[in-house]
Amino acid sequence: MTITITDIAAKHVSSHLEKRGSGIGLRLGVKTTGCSGLGYVIEFADKIESDDKVFEQKGIKLIVSPKSYVYLKGTELDFGKEGLNEGFKFNNPNVKDKCGCGESFNV
Amino acid sequence: MDILKKNYFELFGLKVSTQLDLKDLDEKFTLLQKQFHPDKYSNSSDTEKRIALQISSYLNDGYITLREFVTRVEYILKIKDFNTDESKTLFDEEFLEEQIDLNESIEQLKINKGGNDKVNVLTLDLTKKMELLVVSINDYLSRTEYDMVWKNLAKYKFYRNHLIELEPMIK
Amino acid sequence: MSLLQIKDPKTDVQSKQRFVVGIDFGTTNSIVCSYENSNFKHYEHNGNDLVPSSISITSDHDVAVGSLLNDKDTSYYIPSIKRFIGVDDQQLDYLKKYNHTFTNKDNMLALNVFDKDYSVVDLSSFIFNFLKDLAEKNENRSLEAAVITVPAYFNDFQRQAVKNAALLANIDVLRLINEPTAAAIAYGLESNSIGKFVIYDLGGGTFDVSILSLEEGIFKVLSTDGNTILGGDDIDFIIANWIKDNCKHLRHLDLSTLKDHAKNIKEQFNNTTSEINYSIDNHDITLSKGLFRELISPIIDKTIKIVKSAINESGIDQNDIDSFILVGGSTRIFEIKSRLREVFNCNILDDIDPDKVVAQGAAIQANILSGNSKEDILLLDVLPLSLGIETMGNLSEKIIPRNTAIPIVARKTFTTFKDGQTKLLIHIIQGERELVSDCKSLGRIILENIPPMVAGAPRIEVEFQIDADGLLSVTATEKNSETKASAMIKPAYGLTDSQITKMISDANASAEEDMSARRLSESKVEAERVIYALEQALDTDGSELLDESEYDVITSELLKLKEIANGNDFMKIDNQIKVLELKSEFYVERRMNRSIQSLIAGRGVDDVLE
């Protein structure tokens, strides 16, 4: 199973990367947080570790560590707006329930 | 502080002039506030906080002063060391009579509501007079005749106040 | 699903996340909230993140806050404490509505409860203490600082009271920000929206409106207006009075009971209800939508009038307004939204919970000011009410007009009118009215130690500084005398710094040991921060801006601080921090001067007329 990215998210990622001036792609991961378990992490990646999984899509390298991949496989990275705010969203088929704050999820 | 000794034109890197590109002023102001606003120093030492507060206050005052034509010209007179004491009066009989007449016609217009055409004519007339004054203010400034600059500016302010009075009457 | 932002591991490495919060101290409810990694955390008490701004006090003077109230029958109950902040002699009528015994303590309004006086600052500090505990217990660490919101239309006196109350609760106040501005941050952050916005903030007890222009991370307040005694409570009172007048069987009920019912009725109306049937003590009441609209319309009209005046002051055209942002629980009333759409014909933003949006904005700003976030946004706010001084004949002379961008400084020169006069009294006031008696008196300042000279000879320059919190401080200098001694300033209102310090230390007398441990750790953190900042600076441009001996002086003091910071004496650490700051002051100035040069570089600074 792969990890995918929507067109609009890809557009925003490339403009962020361009603005930053360096970086080879985007690292996606999970962390423990919030009230019900795991939360997502997105950060710029400057290197790829030997055991990382790399998914190249629409010109963007999505880099995931094997540990995180267990929780993220099949996920689509999307971009959306709420009110005047905008940001990235994970459409993750593995999620069973989300907590109220929307920060964390269980699988 | 060196910054606080700069005049407002120097502060924003602008030429001393009555005619400013307001967009340029806006951009400079924003750029400098982004650097010096106290919010950017909330984790800094007390010294830095104090300096930032002084600079940011100075920037705000400079921005307010340069943004409006009247305060801008007054400020130019100030940096040319021309005394703009408020107690100075205009000795100009003709102008005084005109002012009295203007006051009367505006009072009339206020009472006779609906004199739309007259309001528009008067507004146009005042606007033209102010435009002419701007030209002569610039002219006197370039010849460093500051007393004449001040006199014309005083007249400009009279007309401007009349315009402000007329504004609510324009439909 | 919350929206996420890309983090940069490069910039994350250095920063230590500080525990900071935003506090919305509201009339009806208060909220404490933090913002980390693009997520808000509202600290809940008994499953509710709205903490009622209510206090109950027992006859033994045990104080309880929020939903944890003492037994209602035996204790004294004070709801909506914020209503009383800043109420003064001119508004005594307003106080009559409330059945409290009002007195005076520390030059402030106080309530007498079981033979003890509690000032409004004392009472407010109980709420801040409660909110601080709530956040600390949840995070299991001590709170480092907070951004606190105040109604935009609060005057200096009211702002100072809120800040003092927070300080009294041992909260380090990063900044006071205006409630509508906070709401704008919550809506506008991380968006590239640009445009002009009206923030319409109708809370339980106050109404505020701000006109903002938003572009590329700059939140510029153009004007602000409001009424500090107009809110949802007034709507409840109107409906309660209507019940009283129209239902004979319910006349025996007191107004505050009826007001609670009125609130329930109000909240049941939505866009589809045509009438509400409600029962009190088995008596049915019917209120039609039309009548409801008619009853509350005077309140809405008042707010619309204020909005129009604020738009007028902002200098922009009503047609250029892009959206209305709705804030405050009372904006849930459907009628308000439809009236605003009807009158202003514009888009309405209300998708963030109107009760929480202010606290969220404050939390975002706290995160930025604490350095946790590198977000590049800047708030440029304004002074809500003109600042003036009393001149001859009970007239007000404006020194700083309202809606002036802050921080701002204004200077005015005074002189004496009698030979040998050594004292001068300046009466500082705030407000728009011509007569001093119609404005709020902020206090009288006495300039002392003026060198005796002939009348009119001394030139005493008084500086009125409004800081980024919107708070006033005043300093005075005599310019002509050789000594150039600064005149003494006596604050005539609120609390002085030393009073606050004393009150804090009294409150903490029992926990002195804890305090010194806390002080030590605070001093160490501060030393660490100073060292880090200075080393960074020296690294960047130290060799460029300093000659060898200057460089040596700074680095040797820096080394000294490093040594002392390893010890356990916080006084010594604090001292050495001061020494280092003093000795590197010129360097800081040089750096700032240089940064302004580089910002305007490329422009001919040419003193020639075009």
Side-chain angles (χ1 to χ4, degrees), chain C residues 383-438:
Chain C
L383 183 71
L385 296 153
S386 301
L387 188 83
I389 50 166
E390 178 175 351
T391 59
M392 304 288 250
N394 189 28
L395 287 177
S396 145
E397 181 188 338
K398 294 200 168 72
I399 290 178
I400 305 175
R402 71 174 164 153
N403 292 325
T404 299
I406 55 169
I408 195 83
V409 68
R411 291 181 190 84
K412 192 158 175 59
T413 308
F414 294 87
T415 189
T416 52
F417 61 96
K418 268 193 224 155
D419 287 349
Q421 187 179 339
T422 56
K423 283 185 188 175
L424 199 72
L425 183 87
I426 299 173
H427 185 193
I428 303 176
I429 50 185
Q430 195 166 24
E432 308 314 313
R433 307 282 292 275
E434 289 292 319
L435 289 179
V436 169
S437 45
D438 293 334

Side-chain angles (χ1 to χ4, degrees), chain C residues 254-540:
Chain C
D254 66 37
L255 202 59
S256 78
T257 311
L258 285 176
K259 191 177 159 270
D260 291 342
H261 290 299
K263 190 164 181 277
N264 291 334
I265 294 174
K266 173 182 83 180
E267 283 166 0
Q268 285 181 27
F269 272 103
N270 58 45
N271 57 338
T272 52
T273 29
S274 60
E275 62 175 35
I276 296 294
N277 294 301
Y278 189 85
S279 164
I280 305 174
D281 298 350
N282 293 323
H283 291 284
D284 289 335
I285 300 173
T286 304
L287 180 59
S288 73
K289 191 176 187 174
L291 186 57
F292 174 68
R293 187 180 291 174
E294 201 178 299
L295 284 173
I296 69 168
S297 140
I299 302 285
I300 303 179
D301 287 346
K302 271 191 197 172
T303 67
I304 286 175
K305 207 175 151 199
I306 296 172
V307 171
K308 284 186 170 166
S309 130
I311 293 176
N312 192 31
E313 270 285 310
S314 72
I316 57 172
D317 196 274
Q318 193 175 307
N319 300 322
D320 292 340
I321 303 283
D322 294 283
S323 303
F324 267 61
I325 290 175
L326 299 191
V327 188
S330 302
T331 59
R332 288 207 179 85
I333 299 171
F334 186 78
E335 185 58 20
I336 291 183
K337 286 181 205 176
S338 60
R339 280 293 298 284
L340 291 178
R341 272 203 195 93
E342 188 184 299
V343 176
F344 297 99
N345 186 30
C346 65
N347 182 31
I348 284 184
L349 295 173
D350 60 356
D351 33 352
I352 304 181
D353 184 340
D355 281 321
K356 296 179 184 164
V357 62
V358 168
Q360 291 184 353
I364 293 170
Q365 183 68 353
N367 213 38
I368 292 170
L369 292 181
S370 65
N372 284 351
S373 150
K374 295 281 171 278
E375 208 69 56
D376 191 22
I377 76 163
L378 182 62
L379 291 190
L380 300 172
D381 221 312
V382 298
L383 183 71
L385 296 153
S386 301
L387 188 83
I389 50 166
E390 178 175 351
T391 59
M392 304 288 250
N394 189 28
L395 287 177
S396 145
E397 181 188 338
K398 294 200 168 72
I399 290 178
I400 305 175
R402 71 174 164 153
N403 292 325
T404 299
I406 55 169
I408 195 83
V409 68
R411 291 181 190 84
K412 192 158 175 59
T413 308
F414 294 87
T415 189
T416 52
F417 61 96
K418 268 193 224 155
D419 287 349
Q421 187 179 339
T422 56
K423 283 185 188 175
L424 199 72
L425 183 87
I426 299 173
H427 185 193
I428 303 176
I429 50 185
Q430 195 166 24
E432 308 314 313
R433 307 282 292 275
E434 289 292 319
L435 289 179
V436 169
S437 45
D438 293 334
C439 293
K440 168 77 191 168
S441 167
L442 294 184
R444 290 173 172 81
I445 278 173
I446 299 162
L447 306 180
E448 291 178 322
N449 305 334
I450 301 170
M453 286 187 246
V454 285
R459 285 173 44 79
I460 301 141
E461 190 183 84
V462 180
E463 193 179 275
F464 301 85
Q465 171 79 62
I466 307 270
D467 66 16
D469 288 336
L471 290 175
L472 169 73
S473 61
V474 183
T475 49
T477 329
E478 205 293 297
K479 290 281 187 187
N480 280 352
S481 69
E482 280 174 20
T483 50
K484 286 205 173 179
S486 282
M488 289 288 293
I489 300 297
K490 277 192 180 169
Y493 69 95
L495 300 171
T496 62
D497 283 351
S498 57
Q499 266 175 303
I500 290 174
T501 316
K502 190 177 175 301
M503 285 164 89
I504 291 173
S505 65
D506 287 352
N508 292 298
S510 54
E512 210 167 276
E513 269 179 35
D514 286 0
M515 263 310 269
S516 65
R518 185 171 175 156
R519 279 291 298 277
L520 179 64
S521 87
E522 280 173 0
S523 298
K524 284 193 172 189
V525 171
E526 178 64 9
E528 221 176 279
R529 196 191 57 70
V530 170
I531 293 168
Y532 175 74
L534 199 56
E535 280 180 342
Q536 288 282 310
L538 287 171
D539 230 30
T540 328

Side-chain angles (χ1 to χ4, degrees), chain A residues 15-62:
Chain A
S15 91
H16 276 298
L17 278 169
E18 206 171 294
K19 227 190 270 172
R20 185 173 181 254
S22 67
I24 48 172
L26 212 56
R27 178 172 293 280
L28 307 182
V30 291
K31 58 171 182 176
T32 50
T33 181
C35 41
S36 79
L38 298 169
Y40 299 107
V41 184
I42 317 177
E43 54 186 31
F44 294 116
D46 290 311
K47 59 177 177 182
I48 300 174
E49 305 295 339
S50 57
D51 55 356
D52 279 338
K53 287 187 176 293
V54 181
F55 305 89
E56 184 145 10
Q57 289 238 335
K58 295 163 186 155
I60 310 282
K61 280 196 178 73
L62 300 168

Side-chain angles (χ1 to χ4, degrees), chain C residues 2-33:
Chain C
S2 62
L3 298 170
L4 302 167
Q5 306 303 323
I6 305 175
K7 280 194 288 185
D8 197 332
K10 269 187 189 166
T11 52
D12 275 357
V13 179
Q14 263 303 336
S15 67
K16 280 184 202 157
Q17 293 283 306
R18 296 174 68 201
F19 178 33
V20 293
V21 293
I23 295 178
D24 174 8
F25 174 47
T27 308
T28 321
N29 296 302
S30 295
I31 301 179
V32 55
C33 168

